[in-house]
Amino acid sequence: MSGAVADVMPEQPAGVSTRETLFAIVGNPNCGKSTIFNALTGLKQKVANYPGVTVEKREGSCMSLHGKRMRLIDLPGAYSLNARSPDEAVVRDVLFGRRRDTPRPDAVVIVADAANLERNLYLTTQVLELGLPALVVLNMMDVAEAKQWRIDLAQLSQKLGVPIIPMQASVGKGLVELKAAMSRKLEAPPKHEPPMPADITRALNEVRGDLVNAGAVHNEASLLEPLYLISDHDPEHYGIKDEHVNRIAAAHDTLEKKFPGWEDTLAGARYEAIEKMLDGVLRRPEREESTFTDKLDRFLLHPVWGVVTLIGLMAVLFYTVFSVAEGPMGWIEDAFGAIGSWVEGAMPEGDLRDLIVNGVVAGVGGVVVFLPQILILFFFIGLMEDSGYMSRVAFIMDRIMGKVGLNGKSFVPFLSAYACAVPGIMATRTIASLKDRIVTILVTPLASCSARLPVYALMIAAMLPSGEVPAWTKAMILLAMYLLGTVGAFFFAWIFNRTLMKGQSSLMVLEMPSYKRPSIRQLLLFMLERGRIFLRRAGTVILGLSILLWAAMTYPKTPDADKSVNLANSIAGQAGHLVEPLIKPLGFDWKIGIGLIASFAAREVFNSTMGIVYAVQEEDDEESVHLREHMAAEKWPDGSPVFTPLVCVSIMVFFVFAMQCLSTVAVVKRETNGWKWPLFQIGYMTAAAWLASFIVYQGGCLLGF
């Protein structure tokens, strides 16, 4: 291997066994690729990020029919190897073996949507041209059959030169046949030539020679590697040296000047080749009947009924969050209470016992108790994604987003942020317009993420004890908080589009997948994975902060003082008293101030902080009570209750608008390449939170609440 080759081609990572066949699963978004990956690997999978980029990496393993272990990588969904996003760049680089953290796969499982065959064959033919051993899975055959499409699988297999496996992955149909095909030794497909006009081919050969001389590609690279590199629209160019990036950009500009619109010419030539290949393979009825998807879309995408249905589904979601989760939450509270009591009985009195009972158990328990509600929230999000309804939500919201200067594509990251703002902000990479992307990043944290849910739930429980009001009332209050965050995001997007980021908004191009029956197994795996991430966070970040907070609330100790005085004189108590003049107009006391300061790291830390605050000042002979009950009994020095319904609403409104998440700040800094936008975001959100909370509390007082 020449020096140039060693420079651009990564070596096999240490520790990778060559005895296990490594399969990459590739396909368009929404083709059922991840469903197949989950069906093959089950729980034997792990999720991480590709180093250097914020793209999720999913790996797993399964056994072949011959008892051999096979490794699988579920690559991100991509429409083309001409990367236009970091996700597609990862797919291209893994298949070319350009990533040092991931070996080049031994074989590829290409998943294609049978009901959108032409479009899916675009990526399929690109992958087959790489010459890797491969097989093609035609998924959603039931949808194609419902459209009365007839696909000659034998003829398609012959034309592509690879095995074809028909599947209906949502119900596991075809899974055994897929595993059997993967268990056999796959052969490399016959050589596929990309359909390119001769003059562009000659120009690309010249570019290839130039890039080889510069060391940007190795001298054994096919014409495809420089082709996809110079077609690259991803600004990051992970793993490519700056001088090589400049060379690649110069080659792109040269080709564009010589053949204006050459990329469109290549895309057109490829679709023509696909149409020719499908002649005699795909037979459609002369007149296509309306499908189930068409009929359902007439209602769900209706300007009025579509919006009404969306609001109704959100109301059902929040009602379920309260009505179903109440029981399991009580069990978790009782379990943590029992653990605390057991530790108190088993250990002698002292700081160590106090740390475990009032720091670790109270802090972590105050967050873990909301796990059932988090799981229900993710179940509904997974249900909407897996059924195909999520794309319809983006379409419906496009009409509304357009009024504030954004398009529906901005709503997809916003919707993701209802689970967590971090992936939501990362999802803005699919937005082509820089202006729309920055505005979307600025307003995305206003979506009420799952970390806010514990705070809302605690406040609603404090002002509306169980049994006194129906679950629907609580659900409506929670829905109001989510709507307030959404309205706030639209309002600030409208402001930013007319002040900071003036300019024309981009149009939305969105794929509408066919509706399909959600896979219960897929949903359970999704819930399990997200629940595991939540618990890992509670076991690391929350645990660490709980210990620090306990120490800040315990030291320095005041000799011969009761626990309330000791807490007031502690480091945390002094910090709470320091900010009290700023937050008292919002109805908050200094103990709530401690929670607000601590929750800047993560919103849900507010709950654990409150748990520690009241556990630390609890007298030894006082009967232990649940946090929400303790908060309901908290009094001001004049004897009036602290957590009145108005104060609870004021706290919720504050958390609707406040940033309060270091992880989000870090990812905004990384996505915007600097501190300008994250600092601006912290400033405007904190000011908005204070002002909104002030209006709620002072307005409520004036009205006599």
Side-chain angles (χ1 to χ4, degrees):
M1 185 177 286
S2 69
V5 174
D7 189 36
V8 297
M9 291 292 290
E11 296 178 0
Q12 189 86 340
V16 175
S17 170
T18 56
R19 287 178 298 177
E20 297 176 357
T21 304
L22 176 62
F23 287 89
I25 302 182
V26 182
N28 286 187
N30 301 313
C31 68
K33 185 172 56 62
S34 295
T35 305
I36 292 173
F37 174 80
N38 288 334
L40 287 169
T41 60
L43 297 175
K44 298 182 185 117
Q45 56 177 269
K46 59 181 180 180
V47 181
N49 266 12
Y50 284 96
V53 292
T54 50
V55 177
E56 203 169 69
K57 181 179 185 179
R58 291 160 58 86
E59 287 188 344
S61 65
C62 68
M63 303 302 287
S64 75
L65 295 184
H66 306 126
K68 289 187 177 178
R69 186 176 298 280
M70 301 184 290
R71 293 176 60 217
L72 294 95
I73 304 177
D74 182 18
L75 291 176
Y79 291 108
S80 168
L81 294 183
N82 298 333
R84 289 181 178 272
S85 68
D87 287 34
E88 291 185 337
V90 163
V91 177
R92 177 202 63 201
D93 291 342
V94 169
L95 294 179
F96 272 117
R98 294 183 64 88
R99 292 196 64 91
R100 293 184 182 278
D101 52 82
T102 309
R104 194 182 196 206
D106 303 307
V108 184
V109 175
I110 307 169
V111 183
D113 179 357
N116 290 292
L117 197 52
E118 295 98 327
R119 180 171 50 73
N120 280 246
L121 283 178
Y122 191 93
L123 176 69
T124 301
T125 53
Q126 285 184 325
V127 175
L128 291 177
E129 287 160 8
L130 302 182
L132 286 165
L135 63 84
V136 172
V137 171
L138 276 192
N139 192 26
M140 303 187 203
M141 288 296 290
D142 55 321
V143 180
E145 288 167 6
K147 295 166 77 174
Q148 299 181 11
W149 285 16
R150 298 291 177 266
I151 303 172
D152 189 332
L153 299 177
Q155 197 178 157
L156 181 61
S157 174
Q158 186 182 16
K159 289 189 176 184
L160 292 176
V162 294
I164 303 282
I165 310 295
M167 281 193 75
Q168 188 182 341
S170 58
V171 295
K173 195 173 178 182
L175 187 63
V176 175
E177 291 81 357
L178 171 62
K179 217 168 182 179
M182 293 172 68
S183 301
R184 291 190 287 270
K185 180 175 172 54
L186 292 174
E187 301 293 336
K191 190 170 183 181
H192 288 254
E193 290 290 345
M196 289 193 291
D199 48 357
I200 295 181
T201 303
R202 280 194 296 274
L204 280 172
N205 266 313
E206 293 172 11
V207 168
R208 177 186 173 281
D210 183 51
L211 294 180
V212 168
N213 293 333
V217 298
H218 60 74
N219 53 12
E220 296 171 0
S222 70
L223 195 60
L224 296 173
E225 189 160 342
L227 167 64
Y228 294 135
L229 282 178
I230 64 174
S231 301
D232 189 357
H233 297 267
D234 169 30
E236 289 196 356
H237 298 289
Y238 172 77
I240 303 177
K241 293 180 178 178
D242 288 345
E243 60 265 33
H244 293 168
V245 171
N246 295 334
R247 202 86 177 194
I248 289 166
H252 180 272
D253 293 343
T254 302
L255 214 61
E256 189 62 39
K257 285 177 185 170
K258 201 170 180 180
F259 304 102
W262 66 278
E263 290 182 71
D264 294 338
T265 303
L266 293 187
R270 186 174 294 277
Y271 274 119
E272 281 180 19
I274 290 170
E275 190 178 347
K276 190 176 174 184
M277 179 172 59
L278 288 180
D279 185 25
V281 172
L282 174 62
R283 284 181 292 129
R284 299 184 177 91
E286 290 186 6
R287 182 181 174 186
E288 294 200 7
E289 299 290 330
S290 292
T291 62
F292 173 72
T293 295
D294 296 331
K295 293 173 184 171
L296 204 53
D297 274 347
R298 282 188 203 120
F299 180 79
L300 294 181
L301 297 182
H302 189 274
V304 176
W305 300 121
V307 175
V308 171
T309 304
L310 177 60
I311 293 175
L313 285 174
M314 291 297 107
V316 170
L317 187 161
F318 296 131
Y319 171 75
T320 310
V321 162
F322 279 102
S323 61
V324 176
E326 187 69 26
M329 287 175 69
W331 302 336
I332 295 174
E333 278 183 329
D334 292 342
F336 273 93
I339 292 172
S341 299
W342 179 81
V343 173
E344 282 182 329
M347 291 183 68
E349 191 175 346
D351 279 0
L352 180 59
R353 190 185 79 171
D354 202 36
L355 166 64
I356 295 173
V357 175
N358 296 328
V360 175
V361 176
V364 175
V367 175
V368 173
V369 69
F370 296 98
L371 178 63
Q373 292 181 328
I374 299 290
L375 291 177
I376 292 172
L377 177 67
F378 279 113
F379 173 81
F380 274 91
I381 289 176
L383 191 65
M384 289 194 289
E385 284 182 347
D386 208 32
S387 63
Y389 182 63
M390 192 68 93
S391 299
R392 274 73 185 179
V393 174
F395 178 80
I396 292 168
M397 295 308 297
D398 183 57
R399 300 167 187 149
I400 301 170
M401 302 290 276
K403 297 185 187 304
V404 297
L406 297 175
N407 65 40
K409 216 162 188 176
S410 296
F411 191 69
V412 175
F414 190 72
L415 204 59
S416 303
Y418 280 108
C420 177
V422 171
I425 287 168
M426 292 191 302
T428 61
R429 292 179 170 201
T430 59
I431 301 172
S433 162
L434 178 63
K435 177 189 85 70
D436 288 355
R437 188 169 174 231
I438 292 292
V439 174
T440 306
I441 287 174
L442 289 177
V443 302
T444 290
L446 290 169
S448 284
C449 64
S450 57
R452 286 183 174 98
L453 184 58
V455 181
Y456 296 159
L458 181 63
M459 289 302 110
I460 292 171
M463 68 177 179
L464 300 173
S466 297
E468 295 186 8
V469 294
W472 272 112
T473 305
K474 298 179 181 179
M476 288 301 106
I477 294 172
L478 187 61
L479 179 60
M481 291 302 114
Y482 277 68
L483 286 176
L484 181 63
T486 305
V487 171
F490 289 175
F491 172 74
F492 282 108
W494 183 80
I495 294 284
F496 296 150
N497 265 304
R498 281 156 182 77
T499 54
L500 298 174
M501 307 293 289
K502 293 180 181 176
Q504 194 73 23
S505 295
S506 60
L507 295 174
M508 178 182 72
V509 178
L510 185 68
E511 180 186 9
M512 289 287 176
S514 300
Y515 291 108
K516 63 178 188 290
R517 184 188 304 168
S519 162
I520 297 299
R521 177 187 170 84
Q522 175 89 357
L523 289 176
L524 292 177
L525 282 171
F526 179 70
M527 287 171 59
L528 189 65
E529 180 185 306
R530 297 301 156 181
R532 195 163 49 193
I533 292 172
F534 177 78
L535 288 178
R536 190 169 60 204
R537 188 177 169 91
T540 53
V541 177
I542 306 296
L543 174 61
L545 288 172
S546 295
I547 292 172
L548 288 176
L549 284 168
W550 173 86
M553 292 177 200
T554 305
Y555 302 104
K557 289 189 173 182
T558 305
D560 302 325
D562 63 25
K563 293 200 170 187
S564 295
V565 175
N566 196 63
L567 174 63
N569 293 333
S570 68
I571 296 172
Q574 292 176 45
H577 281 108
L578 190 67
V579 300
E580 193 177 42
L582 290 175
I583 59 175
K584 203 163 185 179
L586 315 182
F588 306 163
D589 68 353
W590 61 274
K591 294 176 189 171
I592 298 175
I594 296 174
L596 295 182
I597 294 171
S599 63
F600 186 77
R603 296 179 181 96
E604 63 269 41
V605 172
F606 179 81
N607 286 29
S608 59
T609 306
M610 291 292 99
I612 296 169
V613 165
Y614 295 118
V616 164
Q617 69 170 12
E618 193 174 86
E619 296 297 336
D620 292 340
D621 56 352
E622 189 175 341
E623 187 181 350
S624 178
V625 295
H626 293 156
L627 172 60
R628 45 190 169 178
E629 296 166 1
H630 214 147
M631 291 171 67
E634 183 68 7
K635 307 285 185 189
W636 288 96
D638 63 3
S640 60
V642 172
F643 290 93
T644 62
L646 186 58
V647 170
C648 291
V649 172
S650 180
I651 291 174
M652 285 192 285
V653 169
F654 185 89
F655 273 90
V656 165
F657 291 100
M659 185 61 157
Q660 309 293 95
C661 181
L662 280 181
S663 301
T664 304
V665 173
V667 81
V668 171
K669 188 256 178 187
R670 187 169 60 183
E671 294 296 311
T672 58
N673 293 318
W675 281 107
K676 173 186 167 186
W677 292 116
L679 290 177
F680 171 77
Q681 196 172 32
I682 292 170
Y684 100 80
M685 289 182 70
T686 305
W690 191 93
L691 185 61
S693 191
F694 177 83
I695 292 171
V696 166
Y697 183 71
Q698 295 298 334
C701 288
L702 287 174
L703 293 173
F705 288 101

